[in-house]
Amino acid sequence: MKLCAADREEATNAFRKEKFMLYPCRELYQYMILEKGFDEHDADMFIHKKAKCAFADNRELSKLSPAKMFDAINKGI
């Protein structure tokens, strides 16, 4: 809050977005490229079309490992 001159609400919202959306998306993206063999474009499309919506709808997904996140999102949970 002090570094960015943000009020408590802005700081809390930024923290929640990082914790429940941005960080899990980065972890999933890295997993898809390094472990699953996706190319960057396909991984990026998956993140933007499926993962972001899934994380917005279900915060519990962000607590899973990247492999379990990927499976859960593909199954439509």
Coordinates of all heavy atoms in Angstrom, one line a residue:
M1 N 0.8 -1.2 0.0 CA 0.0 0.0 0.0 C 0.9 1.3 0.0 O 0.6 2.2 -0.7 CB -0.9 0.0 1.2 CG -2.1 -1.0 1.1 SD -3.2 -1.2 2.5 CE -2.8 0.1 3.6
K2 N 2.0 1.2 0.8 CA 2.8 2.4 0.9 C 3.6 2.6 -0.4 O 3.8 3.8 -0.8 CB 3.8 2.3 2.0 CG 3.1 2.3 3.4 CD 4.1 2.1 4.5 CE 3.4 2.1 5.8 NZ 4.4 1.9 6.9
L3 N 4.0 1.6 -1.1 CA 4.8 1.7 -2.3 C 4.1 2.3 -3.4 O 4.6 3.0 -4.3 CB 5.5 0.4 -2.6 CG 6.5 -0.2 -1.7 CD1 6.9 -1.6 -2.1 CD2 7.7 0.8 -1.6
C4 N 2.8 1.8 -3.6 CA 2.0 2.2 -4.7 C 1.0 3.3 -4.4 O 0.2 3.7 -5.3 CB 1.3 1.0 -5.3 SG 2.4 -0.3 -5.8
A5 N 1.0 3.8 -3.2 CA 0.0 4.8 -2.8 C -1.4 4.4 -3.1 O -2.2 5.1 -3.6 CB 0.3 6.2 -3.5
A6 N -1.7 3.1 -2.8 CA -3.0 2.5 -3.0 C -3.7 2.4 -1.7 O -3.1 2.3 -0.6 CB -2.9 1.1 -3.6
D7 N -5.0 2.5 -1.7 CA -5.8 2.4 -0.5 C -5.9 0.9 -0.2 O -5.5 0.0 -1.0 CB -7.1 3.1 -0.5 CG -8.1 2.5 -1.6 OD1 -7.9 1.4 -2.1 OD2 -9.0 3.3 -1.9
R8 N -6.5 0.6 1.0 CA -6.6 -0.8 1.4 C -7.4 -1.7 0.4 O -7.0 -2.8 0.1 CB -7.2 -0.9 2.8 CG -7.3 -2.4 3.3 CD -7.7 -2.5 4.7 NE -6.7 -2.0 5.6 CZ -5.6 -2.6 6.0 NH1 -5.3 -3.8 5.5 NH2 -4.7 -2.1 6.9
E9 N -8.5 -1.2 -0.1 CA -9.3 -1.9 -1.0 C -8.6 -2.2 -2.3 O -8.6 -3.4 -2.8 CB -10.6 -1.1 -1.3 CG -11.6 -1.9 -2.2 CD -12.9 -1.1 -2.4 OE1 -13.1 -0.1 -1.7 OE2 -13.6 -1.6 -3.3
E10 N -7.9 -1.2 -2.9 CA -7.1 -1.5 -4.1 C -6.0 -2.5 -3.9 O -5.8 -3.4 -4.7 CB -6.5 -0.2 -4.6 CG -7.4 0.8 -5.2 CD -6.7 2.1 -5.6 OE1 -6.1 2.7 -4.7 OE2 -6.7 2.4 -6.8
A11 N -5.3 -2.4 -2.8 CA -4.3 -3.3 -2.5 C -4.8 -4.7 -2.3 O -4.2 -5.7 -2.8 CB -3.5 -2.9 -1.2
T12 N -5.9 -4.9 -1.6 CA -6.5 -6.2 -1.4 C -7.0 -6.8 -2.7 O -6.8 -8.0 -2.9 CB -7.7 -6.0 -0.4 OG1 -7.3 -5.5 0.8 CG2 -8.4 -7.4 -0.1
N13 N -7.6 -6.0 -3.5 CA -8.0 -6.5 -4.8 C -6.9 -6.9 -5.7 O -6.9 -8.0 -6.4 CB -8.9 -5.5 -5.6 CG -10.2 -5.3 -4.9 OD1 -10.8 -6.2 -4.2 ND2 -10.9 -4.1 -5.2
A14 N -5.8 -6.2 -5.7 CA -4.6 -6.5 -6.5 C -4.0 -7.8 -5.9 O -3.6 -8.7 -6.7 CB -3.6 -5.4 -6.4
F15 N -4.0 -8.0 -4.6 CA -3.4 -9.2 -4.0 C -4.3 -10.4 -4.4 O -3.7 -11.4 -4.8 CB -3.4 -9.0 -2.5 CG -2.9 -10.3 -1.8 CD1 -1.6 -10.7 -1.8 CD2 -3.9 -11.1 -1.2 CE1 -1.2 -11.8 -1.2 CE2 -3.5 -12.3 -0.5 CZ -2.1 -12.6 -0.5
R16 N -5.6 -10.3 -4.3 CA -6.5 -11.4 -4.7 C -6.3 -11.8 -6.1 O -6.3 -12.9 -6.5 CB -7.9 -11.0 -4.4 CG -8.3 -11.0 -2.9 CD -9.7 -10.8 -2.7 NE -10.0 -10.7 -1.3 CZ -10.8 -9.9 -0.7 NH1 -11.5 -9.0 -1.4 NH2 -11.0 -9.9 0.6
K17 N -6.2 -10.8 -7.0 CA -6.1 -11.0 -8.4 C -4.8 -11.8 -8.7 O -4.7 -12.8 -9.4 CB -6.1 -9.7 -9.2 CG -6.1 -10.0 -10.7 CD -6.2 -8.7 -11.5 CE -6.2 -8.9 -13.0 NZ -6.3 -7.7 -13.8
E18 N -3.7 -11.4 -8.0 CA -2.4 -12.1 -8.2 C -2.5 -13.5 -7.7 O -2.0 -14.4 -8.3 CB -1.3 -11.3 -7.5 CG 0.0 -12.0 -7.5 CD 0.7 -12.1 -8.8 OE1 0.4 -11.3 -9.7 OE2 1.4 -13.1 -9.0
K19 N -3.1 -13.7 -6.5 CA -3.1 -15.0 -5.8 C -4.0 -16.0 -6.5 O -3.7 -17.1 -6.7 CB -3.6 -14.8 -4.4 CG -3.6 -16.1 -3.6 CD -3.9 -15.9 -2.1 CE -3.9 -17.2 -1.4 NZ -4.3 -17.0 0.0
F20 N -5.2 -15.5 -6.9 CA -6.2 -16.4 -7.5 C -6.3 -16.5 -9.0 O -6.9 -17.4 -9.5 CB -7.6 -16.1 -6.9 CG -7.6 -16.3 -5.4 CD1 -7.8 -15.2 -4.6 CD2 -7.5 -17.6 -4.8 CE1 -7.9 -15.4 -3.2 CE2 -7.5 -17.7 -3.5 CZ -7.7 -16.7 -2.6
M21 N -5.6 -15.6 -9.7 CA -5.7 -15.6 -11.2 C -4.4 -15.5 -11.8 O -4.0 -16.4 -12.6 CB -6.6 -14.4 -11.6 CG -6.6 -14.2 -13.1 SD -8.1 -14.7 -14.0 CE -9.4 -14.3 -13.0
L22 N -3.6 -14.5 -11.6 CA -2.4 -14.3 -12.4 C -1.3 -15.3 -12.1 O -0.7 -15.9 -13.0 CB -1.8 -12.9 -12.1 CG -2.8 -11.7 -12.5 CD1 -2.2 -10.4 -12.1 CD2 -3.1 -11.8 -13.9
Y23 N -1.0 -15.6 -10.8 CA 0.0 -16.6 -10.5 C -0.4 -18.0 -11.0 O 0.4 -18.6 -11.6 CB 0.3 -16.6 -9.0 CG 1.3 -17.6 -8.6 CD1 2.7 -17.4 -8.8 CD2 0.9 -18.8 -7.9 CE1 3.6 -18.4 -8.5 CE2 1.8 -19.7 -7.5 CZ 3.2 -19.6 -7.8 OH 4.1 -20.5 -7.5
P24 N -1.6 -18.4 -10.7 CA -2.0 -19.7 -11.2 C -1.9 -19.8 -12.8 O -1.5 -20.8 -13.3 CB -3.4 -19.9 -10.7 CG -3.5 -19.1 -9.6 CD -2.6 -17.9 -9.8
C25 N -2.2 -18.7 -13.4 CA -2.1 -18.7 -14.9 C -0.7 -18.9 -15.4 O -0.4 -19.6 -16.3 CB -2.8 -17.4 -15.5 SG -4.6 -17.4 -15.5
R26 N 0.2 -18.2 -14.7 CA 1.6 -18.3 -15.0 C 2.1 -19.7 -14.8 O 2.9 -20.3 -15.6 CB 2.5 -17.3 -14.3 CG 2.3 -15.9 -14.7 CD 3.4 -15.0 -14.1 NE 3.4 -15.0 -12.7 CZ 2.7 -14.1 -11.9 NH1 1.9 -13.2 -12.5 NH2 2.8 -14.2 -10.6
E27 N 1.7 -20.3 -13.7 CA 2.2 -21.7 -13.3 C 1.6 -22.7 -14.4 O 2.3 -23.6 -14.8 CB 1.7 -22.1 -11.9 CG 2.4 -21.4 -10.8 CD 3.8 -21.8 -10.7 OE1 4.1 -23.1 -10.6 OE2 4.8 -21.0 -10.8
L28 N 0.3 -22.5 -14.7 CA -0.3 -23.4 -15.7 C 0.3 -23.2 -17.1 O 0.6 -24.2 -17.8 CB -1.8 -23.1 -15.8 CG -2.6 -24.0 -16.7 CD1 -2.5 -25.4 -16.3 CD2 -4.1 -23.5 -16.6
Y29 N 0.6 -22.0 -17.5 CA 1.3 -21.7 -18.8 C 2.6 -22.4 -18.8 O 3.0 -23.1 -19.8 CB 1.4 -20.2 -18.9 CG 2.1 -19.8 -20.2 CD1 1.4 -19.7 -21.4 CD2 3.4 -19.4 -20.2 CE1 2.0 -19.3 -22.6 CE2 4.0 -19.0 -21.4 CZ 3.3 -19.0 -22.6 OH 3.9 -18.6 -23.7
Q30 N 3.4 -22.3 -17.8 CA 4.7 -22.9 -17.7 C 4.6 -24.4 -17.8 O 5.4 -25.1 -18.5 CB 5.5 -22.5 -16.5 CG 6.9 -23.0 -16.4 CD 7.6 -22.4 -15.2 OE1 7.0 -21.9 -14.3 NE2 8.9 -22.7 -15.1
Y31 N 3.7 -25.0 -17.0 CA 3.5 -26.4 -17.1 C 3.1 -26.9 -18.5 O 3.6 -27.9 -18.9 CB 2.3 -26.8 -16.1 CG 1.8 -28.2 -16.2 CD1 2.6 -29.3 -15.7 CD2 0.6 -28.5 -16.9 CE1 2.1 -30.6 -15.8 CE2 0.2 -29.8 -17.0 CZ 0.9 -30.8 -16.5 OH 0.4 -32.1 -16.6
M32 N 2.2 -26.2 -19.1 CA 1.7 -26.6 -20.4 C 2.9 -26.6 -21.4 O 3.0 -27.5 -22.3 CB 0.6 -25.7 -20.9 CG -0.7 -25.9 -20.1 SD -1.9 -24.7 -20.6 CE -2.3 -25.2 -22.2
I33 N 3.8 -25.7 -21.3 CA 4.9 -25.6 -22.3 C 6.0 -26.6 -21.9 O 6.4 -27.4 -22.8 CB 5.5 -24.2 -22.3 CG1 4.5 -23.3 -23.0 CG2 6.8 -24.1 -23.1 CD1 4.8 -21.8 -23.0
L34 N 6.4 -26.7 -20.7 CA 7.5 -27.5 -20.3 C 7.1 -29.0 -20.1 O 7.9 -29.8 -20.4 CB 8.1 -27.0 -19.0 CG 8.7 -25.6 -19.0 CD1 9.2 -25.2 -17.7 CD2 9.8 -25.5 -20.1
E35 N 6.0 -29.3 -19.6 CA 5.6 -30.6 -19.3 C 4.7 -31.3 -20.4 O 4.8 -32.5 -20.7 CB 4.9 -30.7 -17.9 CG 5.7 -30.2 -16.8 CD 6.9 -31.1 -16.5 OE1 6.8 -32.3 -16.7 OE2 8.0 -30.5 -16.1
K36 N 3.8 -30.5 -20.9 CA 2.8 -31.1 -21.8 C 3.2 -30.9 -23.3 O 2.6 -31.4 -24.2 CB 1.4 -30.4 -21.6 CG 0.8 -30.7 -20.3 CD 0.5 -32.1 -20.0 CE -0.9 -32.5 -20.4 NZ -1.3 -33.9 -20.2
G37 N 4.2 -30.0 -23.6 CA 4.7 -29.9 -24.9 C 3.9 -28.9 -25.8 O 4.0 -29.0 -27.0
F38 N 3.0 -28.1 -25.2 CA 2.3 -27.1 -26.0 C 3.2 -26.1 -26.6 O 4.3 -25.8 -25.9 CB 1.3 -26.4 -25.1 CG 0.0 -27.2 -24.8 CD1 0.0 -28.3 -24.0 CD2 -1.2 -26.7 -25.4 CE1 -1.2 -29.0 -23.7 CE2 -2.4 -27.4 -25.1 CZ -2.4 -28.5 -24.3
D39 N 2.9 -25.5 -27.7 CA 3.6 -24.4 -28.1 C 3.1 -23.1 -27.4 O 2.0 -23.2 -26.8 CB 3.7 -24.2 -29.7 CG 2.3 -23.9 -30.3 OD1 1.4 -23.4 -29.6 OD2 2.1 -24.1 -31.5
E40 N 3.8 -22.0 -27.5 CA 3.4 -20.8 -26.8 C 2.1 -20.3 -27.2 O 1.3 -19.8 -26.3 CB 4.5 -19.7 -26.9 CG 5.8 -20.1 -26.3 CD 6.9 -19.0 -26.5 OE1 6.6 -18.0 -27.1 OE2 8.0 -19.3 -26.1
H41 N 1.8 -20.3 -28.4 CA 0.5 -19.8 -28.9 C -0.7 -20.6 -28.4 O -1.7 -20.0 -27.9 CB 0.5 -19.7 -30.4 CG -0.8 -19.2 -31.0 ND1 -1.9 -20.1 -31.4 CD2 -1.3 -18.0 -31.2 CE1 -2.9 -19.4 -31.8 NE2 -2.5 -18.1 -31.7
D42 N -0.6 -21.9 -28.5 CA -1.7 -22.8 -28.0 C -1.8 -22.6 -26.5 O -3.0 -22.6 -26.0 CB -1.4 -24.2 -28.4 CG -1.6 -24.4 -29.9 OD1 -2.2 -23.6 -30.6 OD2 -1.0 -25.5 -30.4
A43 N -0.7 -22.6 -25.7 CA -0.8 -22.4 -24.3 C -1.5 -21.1 -23.9 O -2.3 -21.0 -23.0 CB 0.6 -22.5 -23.7
D44 N -1.1 -20.0 -24.6 CA -1.6 -18.7 -24.4 C -3.1 -18.7 -24.7 O -3.9 -18.1 -23.9 CB -0.9 -17.7 -25.3 CG -1.2 -16.3 -24.9 OD1 -1.1 -16.0 -23.7 OD2 -1.5 -15.4 -25.8
M45 N -3.6 -19.3 -25.8 CA -5.0 -19.4 -26.1 C -5.8 -20.1 -25.1 O -6.9 -19.7 -24.7 CB -5.2 -20.0 -27.5 CG -4.6 -19.2 -28.6 SD -5.2 -17.5 -28.7 CE -6.9 -17.8 -29.2
F46 N -5.2 -21.2 -24.6 CA -5.9 -22.0 -23.5 C -6.1 -21.1 -22.3 O -7.1 -21.1 -21.7 CB -5.1 -23.3 -23.2 CG -5.7 -24.1 -22.1 CD1 -6.6 -25.1 -22.5 CD2 -5.3 -24.0 -20.8 CE1 -7.2 -25.9 -21.5 CE2 -5.9 -24.8 -19.8 CZ -6.8 -25.8 -20.2
I47 N -5.0 -20.4 -21.9 CA -5.1 -19.6 -20.7 C -6.1 -18.5 -20.9 O -7.0 -18.3 -20.0 CB -3.7 -18.9 -20.4 CG1 -2.6 -20.0 -20.1 CG2 -3.8 -17.9 -19.3 CD1 -2.9 -20.7 -18.8
H48 N -6.2 -17.8 -22.0 CA -7.1 -16.7 -22.2 C -8.5 -17.2 -22.4 O -9.5 -16.5 -22.0 CB -6.6 -15.8 -23.4 CG -5.4 -15.0 -23.0 ND1 -5.5 -14.0 -22.1 CD2 -4.1 -15.1 -23.4 CE1 -4.3 -13.5 -22.0 NE2 -3.4 -14.1 -22.8
K49 N -8.7 -18.3 -23.1 CA -10.1 -18.7 -23.4 C -10.7 -19.6 -22.3 O -11.9 -19.6 -22.1 CB -10.1 -19.5 -24.7 CG -9.9 -18.6 -25.9 CD -10.1 -19.3 -27.2 CE -9.9 -18.3 -28.4 NZ -10.2 -18.9 -29.6
K50 N -9.9 -20.4 -21.7 CA -10.5 -21.4 -20.7 C -10.1 -21.1 -19.2 O -10.9 -21.0 -18.4 CB -10.1 -22.8 -21.0 CG -10.8 -23.3 -22.3 CD -10.5 -24.8 -22.4 CE -11.2 -25.4 -23.6 NZ -10.9 -26.8 -23.7
A51 N -8.8 -20.9 -19.0 CA -8.3 -20.9 -17.7 C -8.7 -19.7 -16.9 O -9.1 -19.8 -15.7 CB -6.8 -21.0 -17.7
K52 N -8.7 -18.5 -17.5 CA -9.0 -17.3 -16.8 C -10.5 -17.3 -16.3 O -10.8 -16.9 -15.2 CB -8.8 -16.0 -17.6 CG -7.3 -15.7 -17.7 CD -7.1 -14.3 -18.4 CE -5.6 -14.0 -18.3 NZ -5.4 -12.7 -18.8
C53 N -11.4 -17.8 -17.2 CA -12.8 -17.9 -16.8 C -12.9 -19.0 -15.6 O -13.7 -18.7 -14.7 CB -13.6 -18.4 -18.0 SG -13.8 -17.1 -19.2
A54 N -12.2 -20.1 -15.8 CA -12.3 -21.1 -14.7 C -11.8 -20.6 -13.4 O -12.4 -20.8 -12.3 CB -11.5 -22.3 -15.2
F55 N -10.7 -19.8 -13.4 CA -10.2 -19.3 -12.1 C -11.1 -18.2 -11.6 O -11.2 -18.1 -10.3 CB -8.8 -18.7 -12.3 CG -7.7 -19.7 -12.5 CD1 -6.8 -19.6 -13.6 CD2 -7.5 -20.8 -11.7 CE1 -5.8 -20.6 -13.8 CE2 -6.5 -21.7 -11.9 CZ -5.7 -21.6 -12.9
A56 N -11.7 -17.5 -12.4 CA -12.7 -16.4 -11.9 C -13.9 -17.1 -11.3 O -14.4 -16.6 -10.3 CB -13.1 -15.5 -13.1
D57 N -14.3 -18.2 -11.8 CA -15.5 -18.9 -11.3 C -15.2 -19.7 -10.1 O -16.1 -20.0 -9.3 CB -16.1 -19.8 -12.4 CG -16.7 -19.0 -13.5 OD1 -17.0 -17.8 -13.3 OD2 -16.9 -19.5 -14.6
N58 N -14.0 -20.2 -10.0 CA -13.7 -21.2 -8.9 C -12.3 -20.9 -8.3 O -11.3 -21.3 -8.9 CB -13.8 -22.6 -9.4 CG -13.6 -23.7 -8.4 OD1 -13.3 -23.4 -7.2 ND2 -13.8 -24.9 -8.8
R59 N -12.2 -20.3 -7.2 CA -10.9 -19.9 -6.6 C -10.2 -21.2 -6.1 O -9.0 -21.2 -6.0 CB -11.1 -19.0 -5.4 CG -11.4 -17.6 -5.7 CD -11.5 -16.8 -4.5 NE -11.7 -15.4 -4.9 CZ -11.8 -14.4 -4.0 NH1 -11.6 -14.7 -2.7 NH2 -12.0 -13.2 -4.4
E60 N -10.9 -22.2 -5.8 CA -10.3 -23.5 -5.3 C -9.3 -24.1 -6.4 O -8.4 -24.8 -6.0 CB -11.3 -24.5 -5.0 CG -12.2 -24.1 -3.8 CD -11.5 -23.9 -2.5 OE1 -10.6 -24.7 -2.2 OE2 -11.7 -22.8 -1.9
L61 N -9.5 -23.8 -7.6 CA -8.6 -24.3 -8.7 C -7.2 -23.7 -8.4 O -6.2 -24.4 -8.8 CB -9.1 -23.8 -10.1 CG -10.3 -24.6 -10.6 CD1 -10.7 -23.9 -11.9 CD2 -10.0 -26.0 -10.8
S62 N -7.0 -22.5 -7.9 CA -5.7 -21.9 -7.7 C -4.9 -22.7 -6.7 O -3.7 -22.5 -6.6 CB -5.8 -20.5 -7.4 OG -6.5 -20.3 -6.1
K63 N -5.5 -23.5 -5.9 CA -4.8 -24.3 -4.8 C -4.3 -25.6 -5.4 O -3.5 -26.2 -4.7 CB -5.8 -24.5 -3.7 CG -6.3 -23.3 -3.0 CD -7.3 -23.6 -1.9 CE -7.8 -22.3 -1.3 NZ -8.8 -22.6 -0.3
L64 N -4.6 -26.0 -6.6 CA -4.2 -27.2 -7.1 C -2.8 -27.1 -7.8 O -2.4 -26.0 -8.1 CB -5.2 -27.7 -8.2 CG -6.6 -27.9 -7.7 CD1 -7.5 -28.3 -8.9 CD2 -6.7 -29.0 -6.7
S65 N -2.2 -28.3 -8.0 CA -0.9 -28.3 -8.8 C -1.3 -27.9 -10.2 O -2.4 -28.1 -10.6 CB -0.3 -29.7 -8.7 OG -1.1 -30.6 -9.4
P66 N -0.3 -27.5 -11.0 CA -0.6 -27.2 -12.4 C -1.2 -28.3 -13.2 O -2.1 -28.2 -14.0 CB 0.8 -26.8 -12.9 CG 1.5 -26.2 -11.7 CD 1.1 -27.1 -10.6
A67 N -0.7 -29.6 -12.9 CA -1.2 -30.7 -13.6 C -2.7 -30.9 -13.3 O -3.5 -31.2 -14.2 CB -0.4 -32.0 -13.2
K68 N -3.1 -30.8 -12.0 CA -4.5 -30.9 -11.6 C -5.3 -29.8 -12.1 O -6.5 -30.0 -12.5 CB -4.6 -31.1 -10.1 CG -4.0 -32.4 -9.6 CD -4.2 -32.6 -8.2 CE -3.6 -34.0 -7.8 NZ -3.7 -34.2 -6.3
M69 N -4.7 -28.6 -12.1 CA -5.5 -27.4 -12.7 C -5.8 -27.7 -14.2 O -7.0 -27.5 -14.6 CB -4.6 -26.2 -12.7 CG -4.4 -25.5 -11.4 SD -3.3 -24.0 -11.8 CE -2.6 -23.8 -10.2
F70 N -4.8 -28.2 -14.9 CA -5.0 -28.4 -16.3 C -6.1 -29.5 -16.5 O -7.0 -29.3 -17.4 CB -3.7 -28.9 -16.9 CG -3.8 -29.2 -18.4 CD1 -3.8 -28.2 -19.3 CD2 -3.9 -30.5 -18.9 CE1 -3.9 -28.5 -20.7 CE2 -3.9 -30.8 -20.2 CZ -3.9 -29.8 -21.1
D71 N -6.1 -30.6 -15.8 CA -7.1 -31.6 -15.9 C -8.5 -31.1 -15.5 O -9.5 -31.4 -16.2 CB -6.7 -32.8 -15.0 CG -5.5 -33.6 -15.5 OD1 -5.2 -33.4 -16.7 OD2 -4.9 -34.3 -14.7
A72 N -8.6 -30.3 -14.4 CA -9.9 -29.8 -14.0 C -10.5 -28.9 -15.0 O -11.7 -28.9 -15.3 CB -9.7 -29.1 -12.6
I73 N -9.6 -28.0 -15.6 CA -10.1 -27.0 -16.5 C -10.6 -27.7 -17.8 O -11.6 -27.4 -18.4 CB -9.1 -26.0 -16.8 CG1 -8.9 -25.1 -15.6 CG2 -9.5 -25.1 -18.0 CD1 -7.7 -24.2 -15.6
N74 N -9.8 -28.7 -18.2 CA -10.2 -29.5 -19.4 C -11.5 -30.3 -19.2 O -12.3 -30.5 -20.1 CB -9.1 -30.5 -19.8 CG -8.2 -29.9 -20.8 OD1 -8.5 -29.0 -21.6 ND2 -7.0 -30.3 -20.8
K75 N -11.8 -30.7 -18.0 CA -13.0 -31.5 -17.7 C -14.2 -30.5 -17.5 O -15.3 -31.0 -17.4 CB -12.8 -32.3 -16.4 CG -11.9 -33.5 -16.7 CD -11.7 -34.3 -15.4 CE -10.7 -35.4 -15.6 NZ -10.4 -36.1 -14.3
G76 N -13.9 -29.2 -17.4 CA -14.9 -28.3 -17.2 C -15.5 -28.1 -15.8 O -16.6 -27.7 -15.6
I77 N -14.6 -28.5 -14.8 CA -15.0 -28.4 -13.4 C -15.0 -26.9 -13.0 O -14.2 -26.1 -13.3 CB -14.1 -29.2 -12.5 CG1 -14.3 -30.7 -12.9 CG2 -14.4 -29.0 -11.1 CD1 -13.4 -31.6 -12.2

